[in-house]
Amino acid sequence: MEGHLVQLHDGNEQLLTANAVRYFHEGLKRGDGIVAIATPERREAFAQHLTAAGADPEKAVRMGMLLFLDTEETLAQFMVDGQPHWGLFESTVGATIREVRADSTGLRVFGDMAGLLWKASQFSAAIRLEQLWNKLLRSIGFHLFCAYPIDIFGKEFQMTTVDALLCAHTHLLPTGRDADLERCISRAMDETLGPKAEGLKVLIKANYRPAWAALPRSEAVILWLRNNLPNYADEILERARQHYQESQAGDSRALENTGAG
């Protein structure tokens, strides 16, 4: 995973942790330095899962290849009057990243600072922070993974709300298994729209993907539904959510049964 990535997780810490740890572990195997700016709970989860994956995070920290920073403490270093300040951001976060980058073959950064601002409804500050990250990316060269507490089935996930957020990133990571999500959305459309669903599915297939962002198919379809079927989108996506949760619960039970056997 490369570029400026974003994960929408809606409190699904298991998904976020799995993707972030895979991102870290791949980097460590390549000799990349890692900077993880995260809440205490996430830092602890990352360390535990890195160990389970076969990495040695304590050794990586001692060698200067892995640096954990606190989200709120780091944010406080460059926020001025509720907005990120470029000069302070450059002299704090930028200086730290340059130091780690100088001692490694590459650099991977994880940050949930913008997500924390978003959760506090400081939307303009979150987007401003992404712009500062992109400026730093152009000047230094590294990979960045951001996390936002956004529910893709909820009303917050629509173009008027997330357009600037998505435009600030190169890739949106899937919120779940794309085929499963797509199946659940398709089933919900059938239940809500009846015979009209098939014709709309053909139309969606031809027009669902925006030209300006690399989105998984299911997330792109959800944005299409919000934008083009506002009178039906809530019902379709609430049904889709229920079906997806049921499918995930079924998968978990199947894994438990397999392990028990």
Side-chain angles (χ1 to χ4, degrees):
M1 294 183 286
E2 298 182 349
H4 187 175
L5 316 174
V6 59
Q7 176 81 72
L8 309 183
H9 58 85
D10 183 33
N12 186 342
E13 292 294 324
Q14 185 177 2
L15 170 70
L16 177 61
T17 299
N19 284 339
V21 167
R22 186 180 306 113
Y23 169 78
F24 297 148
H25 198 199
E26 289 174 355
L28 288 172
K29 288 188 289 186
R30 295 182 182 187
D32 292 349
I34 307 295
V35 177
I37 307 170
T39 61
E41 297 80 9
R42 284 181 182 151
R43 298 197 304 272
E44 182 178 352
F46 293 161
Q48 290 176 350
H49 283 77
L50 275 169
T51 300
D56 188 341
E58 292 183 0
K59 180 180 178 181
V61 169
R62 290 195 303 271
M63 293 176 63
M65 296 295 292
L66 173 60
L67 177 64
F68 286 119
L69 299 174
D70 182 76
T71 301
E72 292 188 358
E73 290 177 1
T74 307
L75 258 178
Q77 294 176 1
F78 59 81
M79 293 293 289
V80 177
D81 296 330
Q83 289 291 328
H85 183 279
W86 166 248
L88 294 175
F89 180 77
E90 223 292 333
S91 64
T92 55
V93 176
T96 299
I97 285 175
R98 283 188 169 87
E99 183 177 349
V100 177
R101 178 71 177 84
D103 296 328
S104 56
T105 58
L107 180 66
R108 297 187 178 209
V109 178
F110 172 91
D112 60 10
M113 296 185 294
L116 187 65
L117 293 171
W118 190 275
K119 186 176 182 179
S121 298
Q122 295 177 256
F123 305 121
S124 66
I127 298 306
R128 175 60 181 159
L129 178 53
E130 297 296 359
Q131 292 168 348
L132 300 191
W133 273 123
N134 282 330
K135 188 173 181 179
L136 201 63
L137 278 162
R138 290 190 295 270
S139 66
I140 300 177
F142 58 95
H143 304 303
L144 178 61
F145 184 135
C146 298
Y148 279 77
I150 293 176
D151 174 14
I152 64 166
F153 294 112
K155 292 184 178 181
E156 185 179 12
F157 188 60
Q158 55 184 303
M159 294 304 304
T160 54
T161 306
V162 301
D163 178 67
L165 186 161
L166 295 176
C167 285
H169 296 83
T170 59
H171 296 81
L172 171 64
L173 298 179
T175 306
R177 287 184 298 195
D178 214 29
D180 289 350
L181 278 169
E182 192 173 349
R183 244 188 330 267
C184 294
I185 295 168
S186 178
R187 178 181 171 188
M189 287 182 66
D190 290 339
E191 293 170 348
T192 305
L193 301 173
K196 294 187 294 184
E198 287 307 314
L200 281 169
K201 289 175 189 177
V202 173
L203 183 62
I204 291 172
K205 188 174 182 179
N207 298 285
Y208 74 96
R209 194 175 292 281
W212 42 257
L215 305 184
R217 176 178 168 84
S218 295
E219 280 80 350
V221 168
I222 290 172
L223 289 176
W224 191 97
L225 290 170
R226 285 284 181 201
N227 194 51
N228 293 279
L229 290 179
N231 294 331
Y232 295 98
D234 282 348
E235 182 177 355
I236 292 171
L237 295 175
E238 187 54 39
R239 287 176 180 267
R241 181 207 301 277
Q242 293 170 5
H243 295 323
Y244 187 66
Q245 290 174 343
E246 290 167 1
S247 72
Q248 296 303 102
D251 288 347
S252 297
R253 287 193 295 272
L255 284 173
E256 290 173 2
N257 293 335
T258 301

